Amino acid sequence: MIYKNMHLYCNENLESSFKDTYNCIKKKEDMSFVEVEKGIVHKYILVDNYNDYGCVTDKDYNIIDDSCLYRGTGINCGRVHRKEVDLYIDKEVIFLGLYFQHYGHELLDGCSRLWFINKNVDIKDYCYISQTDKDDHFFIFNLLGLSSKNLIRVDKNIQFKKVIIPQASNNIYLSYSDEFNETFRKIGYNIEASKKKKIYLSRTKFNFPGMNTVGEKNIEYILKNNGFTIVYPELEKLETVISLMKGAEIVAGIAGSNMHNILFARDNIIEYNLLRTNRVNLEQLIIDKMKNIQSYYIEDFYEPIPPIRHYAIPYLICLTKYLEAFFIDEKIKYNKKELYDKFAYDFLDYFRNYSEIIFNDHLNEESKISIEDLVHNLQLMFSYYDGEFLDLNKKRERYKKYIDMFLWWIPIRKIRYKMRGYFYNKIDKNK
């Protein structure tokens, strides 16, 4: 059965993928745990930038499956790198899982074992594996009543008297449980809800090579003028973010880790997910289904260079027919001509970001674009935008201005002039 509260403004293929994926998500019942006498908790190690090591084994180094990090039906992290014990601690501990440096996965993967904290009354000591040396997770642990003196970060292979392993209450590609939802209610239990009802979670202050979302400022501006409070989660304390989520009735943002903060919100709220790529957001769909969210997924991206992954090139947000339909249906006011005008600048900024990524060697060869593809995409821009507002001569004049802006970053004058002449010729012939 298709989720009645999922509203899709996107192409047919993407719509079908969203619906199929949603229907594959299952609710997990009857959470359990396992006990391992003389269990060994293995530190996190990343090998060859791909293979993640870190899990719990028995004293004979047999991997305990329930300690592994699963995504879908496969193990994402659950290998033994070194069959040695560096330290023995004569304590019974509860294993709280693996915590990544990535914020979204910290919430979705790391917090999936915290449900057991309130089920246990006898054991007071806990251990966890961390991808980094920073203890960024302590604030969440503290909100659940755990003291730092009872927390052991595993930075070497440690054998304990006994390790209790709670089953993961969430599998981000497959299933969720009531316990997972309840965990976030308890994390935010003592934090007062904000009185702000409409929140936009912005990525415009987020700066990471290859992850810039060009054009988002336009969406931010529109929603701000429609009564949304703009929030930059990475600049706020987690306590503030939780407060805003607890009070929100509508949460909007670019689909991704920022939107996972809805885990701290009440059930049955409204969310606007603005898609930045042609990818189904599996992680968010699980949250939607678990919390009975009335969700909107809007195709508002343009991919001059289709990504071979969901990262490593910039993203481009713009006014599409789907975004326009969404604005009309939700009665969101905006200036269409202004968006069209800004798109041309954003388009050039997208390629500037792209050129910087190539210069800094953040792309592999498969992701690089040819000059022929570049010309083709510029022609698409010329034909798609501004037509209903400008006559032909004004369009040509504007396009030449855009080309000048675009070519400024080419340091060799001869090449810059040659490309300018090439594009000018194309513009003059365009009818």
Side-chain angles (χ1 to χ4, degrees):
M1 180 182 294
I2 301 304
Y3 178 43
K4 64 179 180 179
N5 285 342
M6 183 162 58
H7 309 273
L8 299 171
Y9 291 78
C10 54
N11 66 72
E12 290 183 2
N13 290 337
L14 191 54
E15 179 178 339
S16 178
S17 296
F18 265 100
K19 290 177 178 178
D20 290 345
T21 302
Y22 183 88
N23 288 331
C24 290
I25 298 169
K26 305 299 180 185
K27 183 177 178 180
K28 187 185 298 186
E29 306 284 357
D30 301 323
M31 299 301 299
S32 61
F33 62 94
V34 296
E35 299 183 3
V36 184
E37 299 290 341
K38 303 296 182 183
I40 305 166
V41 185
H42 295 255
K43 66 172 289 187
Y44 176 84
I45 296 177
L46 179 62
V47 178
D48 298 328
N49 203 35
Y50 180 77
N51 295 305
D52 295 279
Y53 291 80
C55 60
V56 180
T57 67
D58 62 20
K59 61 184 179 181
D60 298 317
Y61 299 100
N62 297 306
I63 294 174
I64 309 301
D65 285 345
D66 276 350
S67 74
C68 299
L69 174 59
Y70 281 85
R71 289 179 183 163
T73 57
I75 294 177
N76 183 265
C77 184
R79 305 176 181 89
V80 175
H81 185 257
R82 184 168 53 87
K83 293 184 177 181
E84 296 178 12
V85 173
D86 300 316
L87 176 66
Y88 176 79
I89 297 179
D90 191 31
K91 286 183 177 181
E92 296 182 358
V93 296
I94 296 171
F95 177 65
L96 296 182
L98 169 64
Y99 290 79
F100 283 100
Q101 187 174 4
H102 186 285
Y103 176 69
H105 289 298
E106 178 176 320
L107 295 180
L108 292 166
D109 295 322
C111 293
S112 68
R113 300 179 194 273
L114 299 182
W115 64 271
F116 193 70
I117 290 175
N118 294 299
K119 307 292 183 183
N120 165 71
V121 293
D122 298 323
I123 299 175
K124 301 300 182 184
D125 293 301
Y126 303 84
C127 72
Y128 65 98
I129 304 171
S130 178
Q131 191 184 36
T132 69
D133 292 334
K134 297 179 180 179
D135 288 319
D136 296 334
H137 333 291
F138 269 0
F139 185 69
I140 289 178
F141 294 155
N142 289 341
L143 287 174
L144 288 170
L146 303 186
S147 170
S148 58
K149 68 180 181 180
N150 299 115
L151 287 162
I152 301 169
R153 179 167 57 84
V154 176
D155 56 2
K156 57 179 70 69
N157 292 354
I158 304 177
Q159 185 175 38
F160 294 93
K161 180 180 179 181
K162 180 192 286 186
V163 181
I164 296 175
I165 306 170
Q167 184 181 17
S169 59
N170 177 56
N171 179 326
I172 65 173
Y173 295 162
L174 195 65
S175 61
Y176 67 94
S177 68
D178 288 337
E179 284 82 358
F180 188 61
N181 198 14
E182 185 62 24
T183 294
F184 290 92
R185 292 195 189 100
K186 289 177 178 176
I187 290 172
Y189 182 78
N190 291 316
I191 295 175
E192 185 177 352
S194 167
K195 295 182 180 179
K196 300 182 186 300
K197 301 303 180 185
K198 298 165 71 174
I199 305 295
Y200 180 79
L201 299 174
S202 174
R203 295 176 61 91
T204 58
K205 303 291 185 182
F206 178 76
N207 187 22
F208 186 82
M211 297 289 281
N212 291 338
T213 303
V214 179
E216 185 187 2
K217 288 183 179 179
N218 302 328
I219 303 297
E220 181 180 304
Y221 175 79
I222 289 169
L223 293 185
K224 183 178 181 180
N225 288 337
N226 282 268
F228 280 75
T229 298
I230 310 302
V231 178
Y232 308 99
E234 67 274 18
L235 303 182
E236 301 286 353
K237 294 180 179 179
L238 181 58
E239 186 176 4
T240 301
V241 174
I242 294 173
S243 173
L244 289 165
M245 291 299 96
K246 286 184 67 175
E249 295 177 354
I250 304 177
V251 178
I254 302 297
S257 294
N258 267 354
M259 293 300 287
H260 300 343
N261 282 301
I262 285 179
L263 285 163
F264 298 108
R266 294 175 286 110
D267 292 354
N268 306 307
I269 68 165
I270 297 171
E271 71 174 15
Y272 298 155
N273 281 285
L274 300 162
L275 302 175
R276 54 183 173 161
T277 187
N278 197 36
R279 172 182 177 266
V280 174
N281 297 83
L282 297 159
E283 304 89 340
Q284 198 67 34
L285 285 179
I286 283 191
I287 298 171
D288 294 346
K289 194 165 188 175
M290 178 180 72
K291 299 183 71 64
N292 195 33
I293 299 292
Q294 185 172 192
S295 60
Y296 293 74
Y297 286 88
I298 306 102
E299 180 181 332
D300 64 336
F301 60 87
Y302 176 40
E303 294 182 331
I305 309 167
I308 59 172
R309 298 167 297 194
H310 65 279
Y311 62 94
I313 67 171
Y315 305 97
L316 179 58
I317 299 297
C318 62
L319 181 65
T320 63
K321 62 181 180 181
Y322 306 106
L323 181 60
E324 188 171 1
F326 167 74
F327 281 162
I328 293 170
D329 290 348
E330 294 302 301
K331 297 180 174 54
I332 295 174
K333 297 178 181 179
Y334 72 103
N335 186 318
K336 186 175 182 179
K337 183 179 183 301
E338 189 175 81
L339 274 185
Y340 276 179
D341 187 50
K342 287 181 177 179
F343 171 76
Y345 291 89
D346 291 336
F347 188 87
L348 300 177
D349 190 34
Y350 168 89
F351 277 106
R352 181 186 62 78
N353 275 269
Y354 174 78
S355 66
E356 288 179 355
I357 295 167
I358 293 177
F359 180 79
N360 291 306
D361 200 29
H362 288 297
L363 288 181
N364 58 33
E365 290 299 324
E366 294 179 54
S367 301
K368 295 182 180 178
I369 190 171
S370 66
I371 186 64
E372 290 82 6
D373 290 332
L374 173 59
V375 172
H376 174 68
N377 279 295
L378 287 169
Q379 287 176 322
L380 285 178
M381 181 190 76
F382 297 160
S383 62
Y384 187 72
Y385 279 91
D386 293 335
E388 62 185 276
F389 300 113
L390 301 174
D391 62 31
L392 182 59
N393 288 330
K394 287 184 178 179
K395 285 173 70 174
R396 285 173 174 165
E397 180 182 340
R398 176 172 290 190
Y399 296 156
K400 288 179 179 180
K401 180 181 178 182
Y402 294 156
I403 291 298
D404 288 340
M405 292 170 55
F406 177 65
L407 296 177
W408 71 267
W409 52 267
I410 299 178
I412 302 174
R413 181 182 297 179
K414 185 176 180 179
I415 296 177
R416 186 165 65 244
Y417 286 173
K418 185 176 180 179
M419 289 188 69
R420 180 183 288 122
Y422 179 83
F423 286 126
Y424 276 20
N425 185 50
K426 287 279 187 182
I427 292 168
D428 290 334
K429 289 182 178 179
N430 182 27
K431 297 181 181 181

